[in-house]
Amino acid sequence: MNLLPLLVPLAMGWPAHGTQNSCGATCGRRPMAAYYSKQRIVGGRDALPGAWPWIVSIQQTSEAGTVHICGGSLISPQWVLTAAHCFINANKVTEENDIALLELDRPLQCNDYIQLICVPDMSIRVSQLTDCYISGWGSRKAKSASSATVLQEAKVHLINVNTCNSSEWYQGDIHTHNLCAGYPEGGTDSCQGDSGGPLMCKDNNSDFFWLVGVTSWGEGCGRAQRPGIYTSTQHFYNWMVASMRLRPATATNPTPRPVSTSPPTQTPPPRPQTSPVPPQTPPVPQTPTPTQAGTFTLCPLPCQKMMQFLKLLQELQRSLKGKSTEKQ
């Protein structure tokens, strides 16, 4: 069996003749979402084609074909962020630094079904993000050997790490480089085969998503007071920049788009529930956004400032218009 991972970059519902756009200096956008009305991951539902354009399926080749083993997220046209424990040869693995980067043979071209996701730097207050989701092709119930054939998605809430570390929850096993997400009562959670996949939250002031966590481990799937544990991407920004041999770009407007991958063809091995295998060297915090030029951009902040200014301007215009009407 060939143990080298195979990254599947083709999107579920891939268009027969999609426009091959450059990824540009944008991230976290979901072009196909505009076509959908608002309306397994344990407790999840089928994701629509192109809903999460940055998610990829990491597959292992064998004589029988390929098997999905982990998820990942496209953070630049040539780099995928995932969990270190997905690879049996990972060294110095702990639950604190369960993160890894995969470099592609060649850069991908962005289109409506393939986009980059934004990575937050230390200026982003992740704990204040409220609209968060998980997605993957893992098992839809604990101790199940079967994986989902259709990408699953579920909405989750970020849970305070101190709560997760309390005596009735994880009893101090959660590290400062971890995030907890799910629900106190359980029912919705990542599971076996979802490792490496994204914990993503929509920005509070704009219509793009942040990759705030990488699916790492948990006790069981969907259990009460045992939410999923994720590696915080914000704490590993410097490591990512150094590993990708990039230099942080100075303020540039970012607005990435969605990337997806083809679903698994076979059954993935179970996701470690207690001790994942992370990357080699632990990095330091901060987070940017990817561009095709091979640099990270602190995309969202300039956009946010501009949008806030425009909102204030609109409110001022409405106020002046109201006063003008009163005088008449």
Side-chain angles (χ1 to χ4, degrees):
M1 174 182 290
N2 183 357
L3 296 179
L4 293 177
L6 169 68
L7 177 67
V8 180
L10 296 181
M12 177 179 57
W14 187 268
H17 38 68
T19 304
Q20 295 296 308
N21 299 325
S22 161
C23 295
T26 62
C27 64
R29 300 293 183 182
R30 304 195 298 157
M32 295 307 298
Y35 295 95
Y36 303 142
S37 59
K38 294 195 173 187
Q39 334 193 358
R40 167 152 235 165
I41 293 260
V42 177
R45 63 182 180 184
D46 291 355
L48 293 170
W52 307 108
W54 40 78
I55 190 169
V56 302
S57 170
I58 298 173
Q59 302 185 3
Q60 179 175 297
T61 58
S62 68
E63 294 179 358
T66 60
V67 180
H68 169 84
I69 57 172
C70 278
S73 301
L74 194 65
I75 62 171
S76 106
Q78 202 159 355
W79 291 90
V80 170
L81 192 67
T82 185
H85 78 257
C86 293
F87 310 100
I88 60 173
N89 292 325
N91 300 315
K92 300 181 181 177
V93 172
T94 70
E95 294 172 358
E96 186 178 5
N97 66 338
D98 190 13
I99 192 168
L101 280 164
L102 288 180
E103 184 176 13
L104 308 183
D105 290 339
R106 57 184 178 277
L108 294 177
Q109 294 296 314
C110 287
N111 57 35
D112 285 352
Y113 293 83
I114 293 183
Q115 293 296 319
L116 314 176
I117 187 168
C118 304
V119 183
D121 62 16
M122 293 306 291
S123 67
I124 305 302
R125 297 186 177 182
V126 170
S127 62
Q128 295 183 2
L129 301 178
T130 58
D131 196 7
C132 300
Y133 295 83
I134 53 177
S135 187
W137 289 279
S139 302
R140 285 178 282 190
K141 59 182 179 180
K143 298 182 180 178
S144 171
S146 62
S147 62
T149 56
V150 175
L151 182 67
Q152 298 293 293
E153 65 177 19
K155 188 168 185 176
V156 294
H157 293 311
L158 297 179
I159 300 175
N160 187 282
V161 172
N162 291 330
T163 300
C164 277
N165 257 338
S166 63
S167 58
E168 294 182 353
W169 292 54
Y170 278 107
Q171 303 178 10
D173 289 338
I174 312 302
H175 299 277
T176 55
H177 292 351
N178 291 149
L179 295 175
C180 293
Y183 299 91
E185 67 275 18
T188 301
D189 194 8
S190 51
C191 203
Q192 286 87 354
D194 291 322
S195 288
L199 169 60
M200 46 212 168
C201 299
K202 182 179 175 297
D203 186 80
N204 289 335
N205 300 308
S206 189
D207 192 23
F208 61 82
F209 280 79
W210 293 106
L211 175 62
V212 301
V214 173
T215 305
S216 182
W217 64 282
E219 285 187 16
C221 302
R223 295 171 55 185
Q225 299 180 327
R226 296 296 187 276
I229 308 302
Y230 302 81
T231 303
S232 171
T233 58
Q234 192 173 52
H235 287 279
F236 289 86
Y237 170 62
N238 286 349
W239 170 79
M240 281 187 264
V241 171
S243 298
M244 296 164 68
R245 301 178 294 280
L246 303 179
R247 47 177 172 61
T250 53
T252 303
N253 260 7
T255 311
R257 308 158 99 181
V259 164
S260 50
T261 48
S262 60
T265 54
Q266 298 182 28
T267 306
R271 152 191 156 213
Q273 293 297 301
T274 49
S275 49
V277 182
Q280 288 110 324
T281 42
V284 189
Q286 281 180 359
T287 305
T289 302
T291 65
Q292 190 169 22
T295 58
F296 270 127
T297 56
L298 301 176
C299 59
L301 297 181
C303 294
Q304 290 178 16
K305 297 295 183 185
M306 179 61 72
M307 291 184 68
Q308 291 170 0
F309 172 74
L310 291 175
K311 287 181 181 178
L312 291 173
L313 186 59
Q314 289 174 346
E315 291 175 3
L316 178 60
Q317 289 175 331
R318 283 195 293 268
S319 176
L320 294 174
K321 184 177 180 181
K323 290 181 180 179
S324 175
T325 303
E326 290 175 3
K327 291 179 179 179
Q328 293 176 358

